[in-house]
Amino acid sequence: MNLLMNTLYVATLGAIRLWHTFMYIVAYIGFKPCKAFLIKIFNNAGIGPDGRAPHSIVVHNDMLFHRLWYHGTLGFAEAYMEGWWDCKKIDEMFYRVFKANVYNNTLFFWDKLYYYLKFHAFNLQTLGRSREVADKHYDTGNHLFKSFLDKNMNYTCGYWKDAKNLDEAQLHKMDLICRKLKLKPGMRVLDLGCGWGGLCKFLAEKYNVEVVGVTNSKECADDARVRCKGLKVDIRVQDYREVNEVFDRIVIVGFLEHVGRKNYRSFFKLVHRCLTDDGIFLVHTIGHDNDTAPPMELFLEKYIFPNGILPNHKNIPKAIDNLFCIEDWHNFGPDYDKTLMAWNDNFVKNWPTISHMYENPEATYRMWTYYFLMCAGLFRARRAQLWQIVLTKGLEGGYVSVR
């Protein structure tokens, strides 16, 4: 069955490449009408390529329109990385793009087919693929992530209620998680996808609990072990599917995006098996509540989070059926806009100290700022959400949440 699916996948990708070639020729022959059509779309969204407004694009290479026609949204991103166009306020540009539904409405046929095949028909997050996101993203060097993250290395949305800066927002996020988990000294806590161990340290220091942190990134684990030295924290490099112990509390922060919808049911069964009957499980995840929106943007999937898939609001209730009770569902998606803008500011400020480490520093710089600012616009337009979901096996007497 796997061989058949892989053969079908490869064959379909070949067909899409042929379609790309065909559209390349169409765009080349009919360049002027193709360009006029795309400019009209830009103008309708308020980002017309005249460069007059801060959120308008400035085109340096007219072949951008040809590239957009045959290579779609991924071509648009890669053209930016190569310096074909610029924009003073990319976050504001993408806010308008997503708010006007330009992204969804102008996805070409091959984009939609590719999305369906890659994110629906196939399981991209098998055990064999689990290392790919670590190899291509998290293990690219801690120096990069230290250039833009807070001092505790939280690579997820902060909680900006009463926060004046990124460090405070991330401390408030960790405190909110702990209060929702209702921790007591001596409890045993599992942090799946623990990253650089910031939350593990916070849990152990502030609440005197024993923590097991699991990650598939060696560089994250090395940094986490140093950060948590002397505390009751065990950092492990392993796949989550290898965990087979019982815990009082389980937390995942920015991890469900790496599980994949074809694995949701087996994942939640694993958590159910590893959680005590009176335990609490907290899910902190990006999500989307629009069936027409793709579960991952192609640029992000190729350059930032290989095989990543955002859960839809319908996926989680279906996956936890007859396993967990939803005690609380908290959405603070607009806080991710602020977090991403803070990351971008830090990255821009610190880039001169790390730029010499890259073979093509200009393209690398543009890739990361594009990532931060595009996602900021996405959350600003409310086309993506940030959920904290509290699940239990059905606590007797109920659960009282906090904010």
Side-chain angles (χ1 to χ4, degrees):
M1 183 63 179
N2 287 337
L3 178 61
L4 176 62
M5 293 298 285
N6 286 334
T7 302
L8 178 61
Y9 182 61
V10 171
T12 307
L13 288 183
I16 292 173
R17 290 190 189 99
L18 288 175
W19 182 260
H20 274 228
T21 302
F22 172 72
M23 292 307 296
Y24 180 94
I25 296 170
V26 169
Y28 184 80
I29 295 172
F31 179 75
K32 286 186 178 180
C34 289
K35 176 182 175 180
F37 173 76
L38 292 170
I39 288 177
K40 181 179 180 181
I41 290 175
F42 288 157
N43 288 335
N44 289 343
I47 61 166
D50 53 23
R52 286 183 293 184
H55 51 265
S56 297
I57 69 172
V58 178
V59 179
H60 305 306
N61 187 334
D62 223 33
M63 291 305 289
L64 169 68
F65 301 102
H66 179 261
R67 191 168 184 172
L68 258 172
W69 193 257
Y70 78 88
H71 208 186
T73 57
L74 179 57
F76 188 63
E78 291 179 334
Y80 178 77
M81 291 167 59
E82 295 169 24
W84 287 24
W85 64 272
D86 274 299
C87 178
K88 292 179 181 178
K89 293 283 187 180
I90 293 178
D91 54 311
E92 278 294 302
M93 182 203 74
F94 272 112
Y95 162 74
R96 285 163 172 78
V97 165
F98 290 116
K99 196 70 176 177
N101 285 324
V102 170
Y103 187 88
N104 286 350
N105 293 340
T106 58
L107 281 178
F108 295 118
F109 166 76
W110 58 86
D111 280 334
K112 293 179 180 178
L113 178 59
Y114 184 77
Y115 274 128
Y116 178 80
L117 287 169
K118 195 167 184 69
F119 300 121
H120 293 274
F122 299 95
N123 186 357
L124 300 178
Q125 294 164 317
T126 60
L127 183 60
R129 288 176 175 265
S130 64
R131 279 288 312 166
E132 190 172 346
V133 70
D135 293 339
K136 294 184 178 180
H137 189 68
Y138 292 100
D139 284 345
T140 53
N142 287 336
H143 62 276
L144 171 66
F145 297 97
K146 288 178 179 179
S147 75
F148 66 85
L149 296 179
D150 65 299
K151 63 183 179 182
N152 289 301
M153 298 288 283
N154 285 276
Y155 194 21
T156 54
C157 181
Y159 189 50
W160 287 83
K161 181 181 179 182
D162 301 323
K164 299 183 183 67
N165 52 54
L166 180 63
D167 283 336
E168 288 187 6
Q170 296 294 9
L171 286 172
H172 290 183
K173 185 266 298 294
M174 292 190 291
D175 178 68
L176 179 67
I177 288 171
C178 292
R179 289 186 289 125
K180 287 182 177 181
L181 287 173
K182 303 189 182 301
L183 298 168
K184 296 178 182 178
M187 282 186 169
R188 197 158 185 259
V189 182
L190 173 64
D191 180 1
L192 285 174
C194 66
W196 293 271
L199 180 59
C200 293
K201 180 182 179 183
F202 191 88
L203 290 163
E205 277 186 337
K206 301 295 183 181
Y207 289 87
N208 193 27
V209 295
E210 178 185 341
V211 185
V212 173
V214 172
T215 176
N216 63 359
S217 166
K218 185 179 182 300
E219 289 211 21
C220 286
D222 290 343
D223 194 77
R225 289 180 183 125
V226 173
R227 179 170 284 103
C228 299
K229 187 176 181 180
L231 298 172
K232 292 182 287 186
V233 176
D234 178 16
I235 302 294
R236 304 174 185 175
V237 179
Q238 65 179 157
D239 188 86
Y240 73 87
R241 282 160 278 219
E242 298 169 351
V243 177
N244 190 25
E245 301 166 47
V246 177
F247 298 87
D248 301 292
R249 301 289 188 265
I250 299 177
V251 58
I252 58 171
V253 183
F255 181 75
L256 193 61
E257 300 92 327
H258 300 296
V259 171
R261 60 183 57 179
K262 286 189 175 292
N263 303 319
Y264 288 157
R265 185 63 178 175
S266 60
F267 170 73
F268 283 109
K269 283 183 176 180
L270 181 148
V271 174
H272 186 272
R273 185 175 68 248
C274 292
L275 188 67
T276 59
D277 287 342
D278 60 349
I280 297 175
F281 173 37
L282 186 142
V283 177
H284 175 115
T285 184
I286 301 171
H288 68 100
D289 45 19
N290 186 337
D291 284 335
T292 64
M296 180 59 73
E297 202 277 334
L298 290 180
F299 160 78
L300 295 176
E301 199 276 334
K302 181 176 179 179
Y303 289 98
I304 307 297
F305 298 116
N307 305 321
I309 301 174
L310 300 184
N312 182 275
H313 66 296
K314 298 177 182 178
N315 299 145
I316 296 171
K318 183 178 179 180
I320 67 170
D321 186 47
N322 206 32
L323 292 175
F324 290 107
C325 170
I326 299 176
E327 302 285 5
D328 186 45
W329 194 309
H330 182 190
N331 184 357
F332 52 98
D335 285 24
Y336 226 141
D337 177 9
K338 296 179 182 178
T339 303
L340 286 154
M341 293 305 294
W343 287 348
N344 185 71
D345 290 345
N346 286 344
F347 179 77
V348 171
K349 180 178 68 176
N350 294 316
W351 176 246
T353 66
I354 63 171
S355 60
H356 66 279
M357 300 179 182
Y358 296 91
E359 183 177 346
N360 190 341
E362 180 65 17
T364 302
Y365 175 83
R366 292 172 77 90
M367 180 186 81
W368 280 90
T369 54
Y370 186 91
Y371 154 47
F372 295 137
L373 297 174
M374 178 185 69
C375 290
L378 178 68
F379 282 97
R380 195 174 305 166
R382 301 307 308 278
R383 294 300 186 260
Q385 316 303 330
L386 189 286
W387 300 322
Q388 279 193 355
I389 307 167
V390 177
L391 305 172
T392 73
K393 295 181 180 180
L395 288 180
E396 293 186 11
Y399 173 91
V400 179
S401 192
V402 295
R403 295 289 186 267

